[in-house]
Amino acid sequence: MLGGDHALRTIKGELELHKFCEELRLAPLTKEDVAKYLAMRLSSRAGEGSLGELSAAIHERTEGNPLFVVNVVDYLVEQGSLLDARKIEAPRNILQMIERNLERLTPDEQTVLEAASVAGGEFSAAAIAAALGHPVSEIEACCTRLSRRERFVNKQGSTTWPDRPVTATFRFHHALYQDVIYDRIPDNHRIELHRRIAEREETAYGERVAEIAAELAHHYSRSNKAEKAVEYLGRDAQRAVSRSAFAEALTRARDSRLFLRWRRPPSAATGNSTCLAPWSARQRLSKDGARHRRHRAMSECVISHANRVMTTN
């Protein structure tokens, strides 16, 4: 990845202009491509079964990026952990390359990308605007410039929020870019960004908030809002049950129980007879009282219901 002011980029542009060179873009490698590459490099080191498992793990970690595939394999060879798929991690030279290219951006561009890494691998300009308190048009302009220069993100299309017109959407070129940028954000600032995005999206969707329950659960869990995280994990579990996605409902309900353990145990036990009733504002007494017990009861009931259905099918 060359910086916009890199001498080689200027030379390449001149050569292309006069038709003296042509840029060949490598498409992402498939699982089969990675397996063939491993077979060529490492045929004497392991059996076909071992290489098959390793190639699948490498492809998942690198998303088929050719540069990353080669560097990951080199790193595993150097570390002597070639056949242990559990030890696959980003090589230091790749992380350093990403950091160097990030430092070449302006401070404003870095700030936008940091907020984007909090919003997710694919994100809307409206979410970033909410996190930073900037106009959406300003965020769209910044991300569009980065996309045109092929810097970290590319433009995906557009989306709409219930309370605002169309907003542009973008996507990180690779999960590693998002990970590196996310990890450099100070913890307290990262928590605040998650909170701002969650609260803005919650307001934007209003009565349709259940449509983004999983996303809100993620942001609230990362902003230390356990009560809110449990609420939206519960809503997402209910939606999964309604469309017979019981395995998904089970996962969401179990996640909600983990969050409940962070809270003070309820003073009195409660049954689960009302856990699948419509979510409403009834019995709003206190965050750690009736509301807390209702969340626990609902998650228990969803787990029981999902287990029962999956067992009988």
Side-chain angles (χ1 to χ4, degrees):
M1 185 190 296
L2 299 177
D5 56 349
H6 197 287
L8 185 56
R9 180 178 291 276
T10 302
I11 294 172
K12 182 180 78 72
E14 289 291 331
L15 291 173
E16 286 179 325
L17 179 65
H18 297 287
K19 301 185 184 302
F20 291 144
C21 79
E22 180 181 355
E23 182 176 0
L24 300 178
R25 293 179 177 270
L26 295 179
L29 301 178
T30 65
K31 291 181 181 179
E32 292 73 22
D33 293 331
V34 176
K36 290 178 182 178
Y37 173 71
L38 284 176
M40 287 189 294
R41 280 199 60 180
L42 314 169
S43 57
S44 62
R45 293 175 177 253
E48 183 177 341
S50 299
L51 288 181
E53 180 182 351
L54 180 63
S55 65
I58 291 175
H59 183 269
E60 180 180 2
R61 184 71 179 98
T62 63
E63 299 179 7
N65 182 298
L67 175 64
F68 293 171
V69 169
V70 172
N71 278 272
V72 164
V73 173
D74 288 344
Y75 176 78
L76 290 175
V77 171
E78 292 173 3
Q79 296 298 311
S81 56
L82 182 60
L83 300 181
D84 191 347
R86 296 170 300 177
K87 294 184 179 180
I88 294 178
E89 58 185 48
R92 180 176 294 276
N93 63 327
I94 290 292
L95 299 180
Q96 290 174 339
M97 179 197 73
I98 295 173
E99 285 280 3
R100 285 196 301 271
N101 281 285
L102 187 62
E103 292 298 333
R104 292 191 180 109
L105 303 180
T106 67
D108 287 344
E109 289 172 334
Q110 293 182 42
T111 298
V112 168
L113 287 176
E114 287 176 356
S117 74
V118 172
E122 185 169 341
F123 56 91
S124 69
I128 310 310
L132 300 177
H134 294 173
V136 175
S137 58
E138 180 181 313
I139 302 301
E140 287 184 341
C142 177
C143 291
T144 299
R145 287 194 301 271
L146 290 171
S147 177
R148 287 175 177 169
R149 289 154 49 200
E150 300 181 341
R151 310 295 287 159
F152 291 95
V153 300
N154 62 282
K155 190 171 183 178
Q156 289 293 99
S158 60
T159 187
T160 58
W161 284 11
D163 71 340
R164 67 162 291 109
V166 175
T167 179
T169 58
F170 301 85
R171 183 181 182 85
F172 279 99
H173 289 163
H174 192 281
L176 271 178
Y177 297 149
Q178 179 191 1
D179 292 343
V180 169
I181 297 172
Y182 187 86
D183 288 343
R184 62 185 259 143
I185 306 173
D187 290 346
N188 288 337
H189 185 50
R190 187 189 304 159
I191 288 171
E192 179 65 14
L193 292 175
H194 276 293
R195 183 191 63 78
R196 292 176 186 172
I197 292 173
E199 291 179 350
R200 177 65 183 92
E201 290 183 344
E202 191 175 30
T203 300
Y205 276 78
E207 295 181 355
R208 294 170 50 189
V209 74
E211 297 175 15
I212 57 167
E215 185 174 347
L216 289 175
H218 165 74
H219 286 303
Y220 276 125
S221 68
R222 295 297 183 91
S223 59
N224 291 342
K225 299 287 185 180
E227 188 76 19
K228 281 284 193 178
V230 168
E231 175 183 346
Y232 285 108
L233 282 169
R235 292 195 184 199
D236 195 36
Q238 284 182 313
R239 280 172 57 84
V241 167
S242 69
R243 63 177 187 273
S244 300
F246 297 109
E248 181 182 336
L250 186 62
T251 299
R252 297 293 183 268
R254 283 174 172 163
D255 287 345
S256 72
R257 288 207 304 179
L258 290 176
F259 279 112
L260 282 168
R261 291 175 185 172
W262 297 358
R263 308 292 293 175
R264 178 174 56 83
S267 57
T270 181
N272 61 8
S273 60
T274 63
C275 64
L276 291 179
W279 203 278
S280 70
R282 70 184 189 284
Q283 299 179 352
R284 287 185 180 175
L285 301 180
S286 70
K287 288 185 178 180
D288 294 321
R291 187 180 178 194
H292 177 94
R293 292 193 296 272
R294 179 159 48 85
H295 292 164
R296 177 188 291 274
M298 194 203 71
S299 67
E300 295 285 356
C301 186
V302 171
I303 289 174
S304 175
H305 185 57
N307 273 327
R308 183 169 62 253
V309 172
M310 287 190 294
T311 300
T312 57
N313 287 345

